[in-house]
Amino acid sequence: MGMLAIIISLLLLMFFAYRGISVLLLAPLMASLAVLLSGDVAFLLPVYTDTFMKALGNYVIQFFPLFLLGALFGQLMADSGAAQSISNGIVNRLGTHHVVLTVVIACAVLTYGGVSLFVVAFAIYPISRELFRQANVPKRLIPASIALGSFTFTMTALPGTPSIQNAIPIPYFGTNSFAAPGLGVIAGLIMLGLGILYLQSRVKKAAACGEGYGTHTEREATDTTDTTDTTDTTDTTDTTDTTTADTATNSAPTMPLAIALIPLVMVIGLNALFTYGIFPVMDLSFISDNFENVTPSRQTGLWAVLIALLSASAWLIITRWRYWQDLKATVNQGCLGSLLPIFNTASEVGYGAVIATLAGFAIIRDAVLNVSPGNPLISEAMAMSVLAGITGSSSGGLSIALQTLGSEYLAMAEQAGISPELMHRVATLAAGGMDTLPHSGAVITLLAICGLTHRQSYGNLAMVTILLPIAALVSVITLGTLFGSF
């Protein structure tokens, strides 16, 4: 009965999330339903106040600064004109002969530099629309092109990416955002290379069949307030559309390309500097002496990302001081834009914490942990993939899995002689595969921005955001098993 209770609550969570019901309400309701169906009626209120809310609060305490600074930096990049300048610069250099590659590279540069994927989607879509129309390439391929550059290798694979997915494993494995850099680069190249080849084959097939851009009533979503997620592919279902309106980024002031690239370089460069140059040579024992619950070695990776995002945001504010149209509004919108994503994800973590207390979960946990007793990488990959698919959220699935099984996986890795860095990279890659199932908020929002439907575009989007990331994950597990972390 405990197993059935969990399955029913999970299925209902997926169903209602797909229907657009906020996970802020769904998560506690479905957790309560699982408790009720398990027969633990007397524990319903204590489970909510002590288990659900404690897990939610702990997640907010740990990751809110990253969500806040990530959303703020993305808004500053958009309203300063930097994001638009970078995308325009890439378009001018690559032109309309390689429209898919142009869109993918533009999205990748921005998201790897720390700009929220939804800010990127809003900034790139109008450009993509004109490029695809001029090249007479089907519009239905735009969502897959944007998703390949934003939802895949820059989110989970490339070393140093400031995405929340790449930060979540840090405190559990004592790693940093550059964990297993060689394997990350290989995974990234697999996703990028195969993704470009696949989409180009779709372009050629469409041309051979005489299919062009198509006739469309151009629509795009304009309200970015509820969809500013810090490089997460989930946790938003706002699909409100308006007719032929431009996004906020289209009215932003212009900025030279070289200057626009500086904050992106700062995010990656400062992150690497503090991760490998400054923190390792510092004696941080005084922190443990004064804060007994803080282990610096498990926190410096996260601190490095925060310093990089804060510094780049400050640079944008100061150097563009004379050009801001309304700096207060930009800062406020960026800060407020962080609230919905983090509380959505934290609610899912609270849901996972409640499920983990149920008797039926012990059966699921043992089954997952014993999938491949000699290789915890396979077990970890399955756990992350399944939970990301169920929640429609890479960060949510990753958080739930590590919250409930993180210590077990670390112990299994130590026994098997597997590097924590390799566990980190496999976890992020696995979470970034099944997270874009049809009920994913990111998928729904991206299609709304482009004014397209699941029927028109989801098949190609699923190919580049599910199947290719899984292929990259399998490759990394194979290489990691044979050669270890590098």
Side-chain angles (χ1 to χ4, degrees), residues 127-309:
I127 299 172
S128 306
R129 180 182 59 202
E130 296 308 314
L131 283 175
F132 276 60
R133 182 187 286 118
Q134 292 175 26
N136 203 28
V137 174
K139 182 187 177 183
R140 60 184 176 82
L141 296 177
I142 291 179
S145 301
I146 293 176
L148 177 60
S150 304
F151 294 9
T152 59
F153 59 98
T154 58
M155 186 182 77
T156 61
L158 295 187
T161 178
S163 69
I164 185 64
Q165 291 82 2
N166 199 33
I168 288 173
I170 290 175
Y172 295 98
F173 296 138
T175 51
N176 58 61
S177 61
F178 291 87
L183 290 171
V185 169
I186 291 172
L189 291 175
I190 290 173
M191 285 185 261
L192 173 61
L194 294 180
I196 293 295
L197 288 175
Y198 172 77
L199 291 177
Q200 292 286 27
S201 72
R202 299 301 91 190
V203 171
K204 292 179 180 179
K205 182 177 180 180
C209 295
E211 179 185 1
Y213 179 79
T215 302
H216 301 275
T217 301
E218 302 297 351
R219 302 179 304 161
E220 57 188 88
T222 58
D223 183 7
T224 63
T225 302
D226 291 344
T227 56
T228 308
D229 194 348
T230 57
T231 62
D232 187 9
T233 64
T234 57
D235 306 333
T236 172
T237 54
D238 184 0
T239 57
T240 304
D241 290 350
T242 57
T243 303
T244 59
D246 291 327
T247 64
T249 55
N250 291 338
S251 60
T254 58
M255 180 188 295
L257 177 60
I259 296 177
L261 287 170
I262 290 176
L264 303 188
V265 174
M266 287 180 66
V267 170
I268 302 301
L270 289 175
N271 186 6
L273 176 63
F274 277 89
T275 297
Y276 292 112
I278 296 179
F279 284 139
V281 300
M282 292 179 65
D283 182 7
L284 300 176
S285 59
F286 70 94
I287 295 179
S288 299
D289 295 339
N290 290 275
F291 297 89
E292 60 181 15
N293 294 323
V294 177
T295 304
S297 62
R298 291 182 173 269
Q299 298 292 332
T300 52
L302 183 59
W303 293 344
V305 178
L306 296 178
I307 293 172
L309 287 171

Side-chain angles (χ1 to χ4, degrees), residues 5-15 351 355 387 390:
I6 294 173
I7 293 172
I8 291 174
S9 71
L10 286 174
L11 290 175
L12 289 175
L13 178 67
M14 293 175 62
F15 174 79
Y351 170 83
I355 295 300
L387 287 170
I390 289 171

Side-chain angles (χ1 to χ4, degrees), residues 174 245 254 340 357 458 483:
T254 58
L340 183 63
T357 65
Y458 183 72
F483 305 108

